[in-house]
Each structure stands twice: as structure tokens, then as C-alpha cells.
Amino acid sequence: AQSVTQLDSQVPVFEEAPVELRCNYSSSVSVYLFWYVQYPNQGLQLLLKYLSGSTLVKGINGFEAEFNKSQTSFHLRKPSVHISDTAEYFCAVSAAGGTSYGKLTFGQGTILTVHP
Amino acid sequence: DSGVTQTPKHLITATGQRVTLRCSPRSGDLSVYWYQQSLDQGLQFLIQYYNGEERAKGNILERFSAQQFPDLHSELNLSSLELGDSALYFCASSVASGGITGELFFGEGSRLTVL
């Protein structure tokens, strides 16, 4: 089984500042990693994913994340945030290959609030 | 717009009642997933169907059941409702079945309130 811990439940930041949302995971098998964003009253939208290969992955809206296997982390970063980035962000993991069947285990979410 | 359609968007009912939530996946997607989002449990995987067959089960209660029809739409049935069943229920779809390599596309959810 997999588990995900998002280390910050809320992250306030000023517009144009950099931000990092932290995510650690636990798994006894290889994993795929994802970040999803949820805007108010909307469903989840994929920001980026790590399946294999380069440990630095780039996603939509200027976000990127780095997979660190030794530290079992997948932190999300953006060098300069906008007001429109205000949303809740979810880190998720699934077992790679085998019978994972798309079963995602989500973290508890981090609410990013960007202040003007 | 993800292309996944969920109805109803909001539903208010009483304890002990039964409700049905409906999901239409993106055109061409064969897999449908149901997730529950609540304040205390967060986002929890409930169940997955692929081309009409159940493929994986998560933390789904025995009072809950789901199915996927030949036209690939899915329904989640919740019965003997309790206050704790109040939550946002998401449907997601993807093309693939086992060994996920792609993206799940989420609907906007059905918010269930049990009074």
C-alpha cells in the first residue's frame, strides 16, 4: 500500500514570490507520482506527473516538481506565483505497473493562498 | 471542461434514504473511477470499472454499489444513508485500465448532503 503526506495544510504567499508545496510518500514498490489542483467548486485537474525518466518534471501553468527517490519526496515548485494560482493542491501516488488500475492515493491537500 | 459529466451537482436527502449518482466519462475513455472527498477522510478511492467490469475496489462501504453500463456511463448507488456519507463524490475517467500511465480526468463532483 502507498501513503502520501503533504507537510503543509496551508501556504500563504505574496504574488510574484516563489512557492514550494511539500509532498512525501511511502511505498514498498515503485510508484507513479502526480500533482493535481482543485479550484473552488471545480474538479481536480492534473498539473504534472512523474512516471519514469528525468526526475524533474514540468507541468502546466509554470509548475514543476522533482522526484527524489532517496528522500521519497515529490515537492511542487513555482518560481513566481499569481493570484490565479490560489487553489488547493493534492499530491497523489499509485503503484507503478502491475495491478494498480489507476487507484490513486491522495494526500490531505495544501491550500495555497496568493496575496496581492 | 474535463469532458466528464456528473449529475446531479447537488443533492440533499435524509438519513436512511437511497440516492444514485451518475457519471458520463470522456468520449473514448473506458475506465471510470469513483472517489469520495470529505473533510475528515480527504480524497478516498472507492471503486473502478473498465469497459463494464469491476477492476478495483477501495474503501467502499457495503451500503454503496456501482456499475458501468454498455454505453460506458456509470452510476454510484448509496443506500441507507448516514450523516457521515455527506461528501463530494467525484467521478474520473481514463482510457487505460491496469498499470496507469496516463491521466485521470475528473468531473466537477456531486455534492451529497444527508440531513
Side-chain angles (χ1 to χ4, degrees):
Chain A
Q2 293 76 45
S3 66
V4 178
T5 302
Q6 291 183 240
L7 299 168
D8 306 292
S9 59
Q10 297 191 49
V11 173
V13 65
F14 287 107
E15 193 173 18
E16 298 183 5
V19 71
E20 177 180 80
L21 306 184
R22 297 179 295 167
C23 171
N24 286 350
Y25 70 92
S26 174
S27 177
S28 57
V29 300
S30 297
V31 296
Y32 298 141
L33 293 156
F34 307 82
W35 276 99
Y36 280 83
V37 60
Q38 185 178 26
Y39 298 103
N41 300 314
Q42 293 187 27
L44 283 78
Q45 179 184 4
L46 182 69
L47 275 179
L48 48 78
K49 61 188 178 187
Y50 171 78
L51 304 179
S52 64
S54 173
T55 57
L56 182 63
V57 293
K58 295 187 183 298
I60 62 172
N61 301 339
F63 284 93
E64 63 181 33
E66 185 160 16
F67 170 55
N68 188 319
K69 188 174 181 179
S70 62
Q71 296 186 4
T72 60
S73 67
F74 191 56
H75 301 332
L76 181 70
R77 301 184 182 99
K78 186 170 183 178
S80 176
V81 295
H82 302 290
I83 297 287
S84 59
D85 293 323
T86 295
E88 188 161 16
Y89 293 78
F90 292 91
C91 182
V93 64
S94 73
T99 59
S100 63
Y101 298 121
K103 176 183 173 182
L104 294 178
T105 299
F106 284 90
Q108 288 296 314
T110 297
I111 297 174
L112 174 65
T113 304
V114 181
H115 298 284
Chain B
D1 183 4
S2 67
V4 178
T5 303
Q6 290 188 247
T7 57
K9 292 192 183 304
H10 302 276
L11 190 57
I12 301 174
T13 189
T15 55
Q17 295 299 304
R18 172 189 171 93
V19 299
T20 297
L21 310 180
R22 181 188 169 100
C23 170
S24 294
R26 289 191 322 152
S27 177
D29 284 357
L30 301 178
S31 276
V32 170
Y33 310 78
W34 286 96
Y35 283 83
Q36 179 195 58
Q37 185 179 34
S38 62
L39 285 175
D40 54 345
Q41 297 291 325
L43 268 163
Q44 299 275 320
F45 169 75
L46 295 179
I47 197 165
Q48 183 214 354
Y49 280 82
Y50 174 75
N51 204 21
E53 295 186 1
E54 182 185 305
R55 280 301 177 93
K57 257 186 176 180
N59 301 321
I60 187 166
L61 300 172
E62 286 191 8
R63 299 183 286 108
F64 296 0
S65 64
Q67 57 184 19
Q68 186 179 29
F69 295 87
D71 67 353
L72 299 177
H73 91 271
S74 177
E75 293 181 356
L76 179 66
N77 300 296
L78 315 174
S79 62
S80 303
L81 286 169
E82 302 175 358
L83 296 178
D85 297 327
S86 295
L88 190 55
Y89 291 85
F90 283 111
C91 171
S93 73
S94 72
V95 173
S97 173
I100 184 173
T101 59
E103 175 178 354
L104 293 189
F105 294 86
F106 282 80
E108 294 189 355
S110 292
R111 183 170 296 282
L112 173 66
T113 302
V114 182
L115 301 177

